[in-house]
Amino acid sequence: MSFLRSFIHALWMLVTVIPWAIIMIVASPFRSGVAMYGMAQTWLGWAIHGLRVICGVRWRVQGMENLPQGETSPAILLVKHQSTMETFLMPLLMPHPLAYVFKKELLSVPFFGWAMGKLDMIHIDRSLRTQAFNKVVEQGKRLLAQGIWVIMFPEGTRIPRGQAGQYKSGGTRLAVATGAPVIPVAVASGRCWPRKSFVKYPGVVEVSIGKPIPSEGRSADELMREVEAWIEGEMRRLDPEAYAHEKNNPVASSAQV
């Protein structure tokens, strides 16, 4: 049954993304950045609410009160990455428009990537590390000044449930360079939408938003260690079943948190 529901949801996303992307591409010369972002949110809403209705995947959010207030209050979201779900869900939850930092290869994905290219986001060439980071800082400063929040996945790629990837300091380096606080976000999506899995399983995805961590006067590495400790600790609270193996291996547990 889960496979059939997942197939229907995949079909739903496919048949909606094609006309949506075409409309966005055609409208882009005539619409503002805010309007284009709103159009993107519309399709993401179709995908996520379709996931709820078709596959029985729901979500529960804690910590919304921790988000900065004010129309231009800056923030850099650093989010745990277990599946595609958090990529789609975050723009629907956040009170500010989001700008993702992502590899430029995604722009080549038919329809979805073409539409993404019409949004004001930060796409980088990972092979050009110094130039890529300079681009992130330059565009990040401009976006943050407009009240657009920057969102990054510090592990760089989707990580299997119950595991931790290597946290990279690009997000905290941007925070130090811009003076913006970082907001750690833990998302236990792997239980319902596992990494690289076609099949989605019914259940509740827990999302926890941490308190802003100031970046002023901090080193990027120190700041990232604090972000990693909070996210990984929170993941064990949200999804203890996924980390049950650590009870028999306390050395591995202490090495990750």
Side-chain angles (χ1 to χ4, degrees):
M1 183 61 72
S2 291
F3 180 87
L4 178 59
R5 289 182 175 183
S6 300
F7 177 80
I8 295 172
H9 181 251
L11 186 62
W12 165 249
M13 289 198 296
L14 179 63
V15 299
T16 55
V17 75
I18 294 174
W20 163 79
I22 293 172
I23 291 170
M24 285 198 64
I25 292 168
V26 172
S28 60
F30 312 103
R31 303 293 294 271
S32 67
V34 173
M36 293 296 293
Y37 185 82
M39 293 175 67
Q41 281 182 307
T42 297
W43 182 81
L44 293 173
W46 294 344
I48 284 293
H49 290 292
L51 186 67
R52 174 178 56 83
V53 173
I54 299 168
C55 298
V57 178
R58 295 167 289 123
W59 52 92
R60 183 163 50 221
V61 184
Q62 308 168 39
M64 288 293 291
E65 69 278 3
N66 291 328
L67 294 172
Q69 304 297 312
E71 291 186 4
T72 59
S73 298
I76 297 172
L77 303 178
L78 299 180
V79 183
K80 179 71 178 180
H81 201 15
Q82 288 188 332
S83 81
T84 304
M85 183 171 178
E86 51 269 13
T87 309
F88 287 5
L89 182 61
M90 287 299 124
L92 302 179
L93 297 180
M94 294 299 149
H96 282 237
L98 301 182
Y100 282 84
V101 178
F102 61 92
K103 56 185 180 181
K104 68 175 186 178
E105 288 81 2
L106 290 177
L107 297 174
S108 300
V109 177
F111 298 104
F112 181 82
W114 303 340
M116 284 182 65
K118 301 303 179 181
L119 300 173
D120 194 0
M121 298 197 180
I122 307 172
H123 41 89
I124 59 174
D125 185 342
R126 289 183 174 180
S127 65
L128 304 174
R129 295 195 173 186
T130 301
Q131 295 94 320
F133 180 70
N134 290 340
K135 180 179 181 180
V136 171
V137 172
E138 178 183 353
Q139 291 189 236
K141 286 181 177 179
R142 175 180 60 81
L143 292 165
L144 290 167
Q146 296 172 11
I148 298 171
W149 291 351
V150 177
I151 179 170
M152 301 177 71
F153 299 112
E155 293 166 292
T157 188
R158 289 169 292 177
I159 303 298
R161 182 186 178 202
Q163 298 182 27
Q166 180 180 359
Y167 280 68
K168 301 173 181 64
S169 62
T172 52
R173 288 167 63 196
L174 174 62
V176 170
T178 59
V182 296
I183 312 293
V185 183
V187 185
S189 58
R191 65 171 64 167
C192 296
W193 191 340
R195 170 180 176 262
K196 296 183 179 180
S197 174
F198 175 78
V199 179
K200 293 91 171 175
Y201 301 94
V204 178
V205 170
E206 300 285 355
V207 179
S208 181
I209 302 168
K211 294 181 179 180
I213 304 176
S215 61
E216 296 179 359
R218 306 286 298 276
S219 73
D221 289 339
E222 174 196 11
L223 190 55
M224 181 50 71
R225 285 194 297 270
E226 184 173 346
V227 169
E228 178 180 3
W230 188 90
I231 290 177
E232 292 302 320
E234 192 69 357
M235 289 299 298
R236 285 153 177 79
R237 185 184 72 83
L238 298 178
D239 191 9
E241 179 183 302
Y243 298 91
H245 62 280
E246 293 181 348
K247 294 180 180 179
N248 299 320
N249 189 0
V251 174
S253 177
S254 61
Q256 289 185 349
V257 180

